[in-house]
Amino acid sequence: MMRSDIVKKGSTRAAHRSLFYAMGYSKADLEKPLIGVVNAFNEVIPGHIHLREVAEAVKLGITAAGGTPMEFPAIGVCDGIVMGHEGMRYSLSSRELIADSVETMAVAHGFDGLVLIPNCDKIVPGMLMAAARVNIPAIVMSGGPMMAGRYQGRDISVSTMFEAAGLFESGKITAEELDEMEQSACPGCGSCAGMFTANTMNCMAEVLGMALPGNGTVPAAAFGARRRMAKEAGATAVRLVKENIRPRDIMTMKAFENAMSVDMAVGGSSNTVLHLTAIAYEAGLELPMKKFDEISAKTPYITKLSPGGTFHIQDLNEAGGMNAIMAELSKIGRIHKDALTVDGTMGDRIAKARTLRPDVIKTVEAPHRATGGIAILSGNLAPDGAVVKESAVAEDMLVFKGPARVFNSEDEAIEAIVGKKVHDGEVVVIRYEGPKGGPGMREMLNPTAVITGMGLKVALLTDGRFSGATRGACVGHISPEAMDGGPIALIEEGDLISLDIPSRKLELLVSDGELAKRRAAWKQPQPKVTTGYLARYAKLVTSANTGAVLK
């Protein structure tokens, strides 16, 4: 018996069959497994503009393997376009809408299996959350990364452009140069070219076992390779249905440990802490923040990609991709080879993998650094933890102390930074931007990129989060957030703050007695948004340290 029999079998489903016939489905079509094809195509996101072609190839694969494809849409927000204004409040919060909508369509229509076609930041984790939640056979088939742009003989990407704003504001480049760069940075379709959140999560889908090899690294511009992979993904979905292999069979704790290890090895986006935690939650598993730090301490950093380095995803693909990374990590026991994937075991995948560009993928014996790319900090300023992309922090900023410059929104901070009211040696604090306070936990790429472009030597702390394109001494996800009365809400202008990333410490250098006095006087501010989806989201969302999921 197939799951889809609930919508197509028996006399009481005569009306249902009539509705299928109205769309052109035949009796033979309805005898086959019904595979939902979740297509996040839209004309807003560069990473999604080509997903119609990917979906068509997926449907050919499903049909050839004996299934019936049925396509339906999913929304998507472009993090780059919504960056730096109120639209960013809808980025993280859209993840829950995507998961809910996929669940709604999959369960309501009795699909036997799913092919999930995302590509960019919140769409990938949103679809993986849905797959874990509904737990019917599923596979991820992403659209692939964008090629890097070229400007004056060097590779550039969208992160270059965010930093270019700081260069322009500080008089280091002209308006004409800025215009030339912005027309060169993003040459075509695909998820932005560095190891930013979208590409990190597409790689994580692969390492979790929920996508085919190459899903995270084969460029969108490699049309033939992507099309072949999409056909194979469609056929694989039909096989998964026939063999009844489900997402929770694949996304086990071993799979998440593999993903965390690879994330540390490649210096992935700090947002993966949020997303892997949320996906695990939907799979019935817990990923405490300390687990990320434990794995980081055991995992060498072997691939230095933008924004932490000059290489881009196309270089990693040439070097052997995720299989080469996992093969290297397996030398020191950091990969569970018996973890199940959509096409066998992880051991099968990496058995013949090898590094083809040693300049891109270092060995575990001679890594860029002995520990991983992400660090989890704690201390009296972050009792429940905070996240920093250590691999993108300059050596002379790993330990830093300075007076606080306090801003109650990203907009206030940007105005002060661009207005040259922030100076070297200070610690910029942006608060009330967490999951509840934002609401929506806005990414802070604009202030971090402008700081970098202007050459300021400052640290930046927030209960919000950072783009995968962020680099510098930028600490996010500070929990509890200000809106919940966390210590970040109690910081006053000029307070000394100590950041010690190697020691994993983040401290507000104010006495316990003074903090208690401030806490007694603190009052929760009025919500920034009081109507619509964001108001409901703010009431239901949990802290960043638990994945900012809705409960």
Side-chain angles (χ1 to χ4, degrees):
M1 179 178 174
M2 288 188 287
R3 193 170 176 278
S4 60
D5 287 350
I6 63 171
V7 298
K8 63 187 186 184
K9 293 286 187 179
S11 62
T12 60
R13 299 298 183 262
H16 303 59
R17 291 191 293 275
S18 292
L19 293 169
F20 282 116
Y21 298 151
M23 292 180 281
Y25 295 107
S26 67
K27 288 184 178 181
D29 291 332
L30 298 185
E31 290 298 318
K32 301 171 185 175
L34 303 186
I35 310 296
V37 178
V38 192
N39 187 0
F41 162 82
N42 64 42
E43 295 180 342
V44 181
I45 311 176
H48 289 218
I49 194 72
H50 63 304
L51 293 188
R52 278 179 176 158
E53 288 75 18
V54 175
E56 287 304 313
V58 163
K59 289 189 285 186
L60 286 172
I62 291 169
T63 303
T68 297
M70 295 183 173
E71 183 179 342
F72 62 90
I75 66 166
V77 168
C78 179
D79 276 32
I81 293 173
V82 305
M83 193 72 68
H85 56 87
E86 66 178 356
M88 180 47 81
R89 291 177 175 145
Y90 288 90
S91 172
L92 181 61
S93 61
S94 73
R95 187 188 70 180
E96 315 309 312
L97 290 174
I98 293 160
D100 289 351
S101 64
V102 174
E103 173 200 358
T104 298
M105 292 295 289
V107 177
H109 298 100
F111 288 118
D112 297 299
L114 296 170
V115 179
L116 306 163
I117 307 178
N119 209 28
C120 290
D121 295 51
K122 307 309 160 302
I123 302 93
V124 182
M127 288 190 179
L128 282 167
M129 288 166 68
R133 186 187 301 171
V134 302
N135 201 33
I136 63 173
I139 183 172
V140 172
M141 177 60 221
S142 298
M146 186 185 292
M147 298 293 285
R150 294 286 291 174
Y151 180 70
Q152 295 184 347
R154 64 187 177 99
D155 287 344
I156 64 172
S157 69
V158 71
S159 67
T160 315
M161 295 317 305
F162 279 103
E163 293 180 6
L167 294 173
F168 175 73
E169 291 293 338
S170 58
K172 296 176 183 175
I173 60 173
T174 66
E176 289 75 19
E177 288 172 314
L178 182 64
D179 181 65
E180 289 172 4
M181 290 175 70
E182 65 190 53
Q183 296 200 46
S184 304
C186 299
C189 64
S191 45
C192 296
M195 189 54 84
F196 314 142
T197 304
N199 288 327
T200 305
M201 288 310 302
N202 281 323
C203 289
M204 292 301 100
E206 187 179 330
V207 178
L208 282 169
M210 287 295 294
L212 294 170
N215 178 76
T217 60
V218 173
F223 179 78
R226 273 280 152 192
R227 190 170 173 82
R228 293 193 300 273
M229 190 190 304
K231 289 179 181 177
E232 186 181 351
T236 300
V238 177
R239 179 181 56 76
L240 291 170
V241 169
K242 292 177 178 177
E243 296 178 7
N244 195 29
I245 297 173
R246 301 174 180 238
R248 292 192 189 187
D249 299 325
I250 295 171
M251 289 192 283
T252 62
M253 186 55 75
K254 286 183 178 180
F256 282 101
E257 289 178 354
N258 283 348
M260 286 187 280
S261 292
V262 171
D263 192 22
M264 300 307 165
V266 301
S269 166
S270 59
N271 282 315
T272 53
V273 178
L274 277 176
H275 298 323
L276 289 176
T277 302
I279 297 163
Y281 169 77
E282 297 291 356
L285 302 170
E286 287 189 15
L287 293 186
M289 264 190 171
K290 65 180 181 180
K291 192 171 187 68
F292 287 86
D293 209 49
E294 289 168 2
I295 287 176
S296 183
K298 303 173 187 174
T299 308
Y301 174 44
I302 60 175
T303 303
K304 203 168 190 177
L305 303 176
S306 175
T310 56
F311 292 122
H312 292 82
I313 300 297
Q314 65 208 54
D315 299 297
L316 179 57
N317 188 61
E318 289 177 7
M322 291 297 101
N323 283 356
I325 294 283
M326 288 187 283
E328 189 63 33
L329 293 178
S330 70
K331 295 178 182 178
I332 54 172
R334 297 306 312 139
I335 296 296
H336 298 287
K337 294 182 182 180
D338 58 341
L340 187 64
T341 75
V342 291
D343 63 343
T345 67
M346 199 56 76
D348 296 332
R349 280 193 183 182
I350 67 175
K352 296 181 180 179
R354 59 196 179 96
T355 296
L356 302 175
R357 281 187 58 182
D359 58 327
V360 177
I361 301 176
K362 300 298 183 183
T363 64
V364 291
E365 294 84 9
H368 289 292
R369 202 176 58 232
T371 57
I374 293 174
I376 305 299
L377 312 182
S378 61
N380 72 341
L381 186 45
D384 294 337
V387 180
V388 63
K389 189 169 180 174
E390 185 176 4
S391 59
V393 181
E395 288 293 324
D396 63 351
M397 291 295 291
L398 290 170
V399 178
F400 190 83
K401 184 189 293 185
R405 298 297 314 281
V406 184
F407 304 98
N408 289 329
S409 71
E410 178 188 8
D411 309 283
E412 287 181 18
I414 282 283
E415 186 179 348
I417 294 165
V418 173
K420 299 179 175 58
K421 296 176 182 177
V422 172
H423 307 101
D424 286 352
E426 296 176 337
V427 178
V428 176
V429 177
I430 305 177
R431 62 189 180 190
Y432 295 106
E433 290 286 6
K436 289 186 179 71
M441 203 179 183
R442 293 196 287 180
E443 286 185 345
M444 303 291 164
L445 179 55
N446 262 10
T448 62
V450 172
I451 284 169
T452 299
M454 293 177 73
L456 286 170
K457 190 173 181 179
V458 299
L460 194 154
L461 315 179
T462 182
D463 54 4
R465 61 197 177 92
F466 297 111
S467 164
T470 289
R471 60 189 176 117
C474 303
V475 181
H477 305 202
I478 291 176
S479 302
E481 65 173 287
M483 199 66 173
D484 278 339
I488 190 172
L490 309 179
I491 302 172
E492 294 183 358
E493 192 82 5
D495 285 347
L496 276 181
I497 293 175
S498 171
L499 170 65
D500 188 338
I501 295 174
S503 299
R504 304 301 194 247
K505 286 293 183 184
L506 182 61
E507 299 282 348
L508 176 60
L509 303 181
V510 173
S511 71
D512 292 344
E514 174 61 22
L515 286 178
K517 191 185 303 181
R518 294 181 189 180
R519 186 170 286 109
W522 177 80
K523 292 181 180 178
Q524 187 182 62
Q526 289 297 309
K528 294 173 185 172
V529 178
T530 57
T531 59
Y533 170 61
L534 285 177
R536 298 195 301 275
Y537 176 86
K539 290 178 180 178
L540 297 172
V541 70
T542 66
S543 173
N545 68 297
T546 56
V549 296
L550 300 188
K551 290 187 180 179

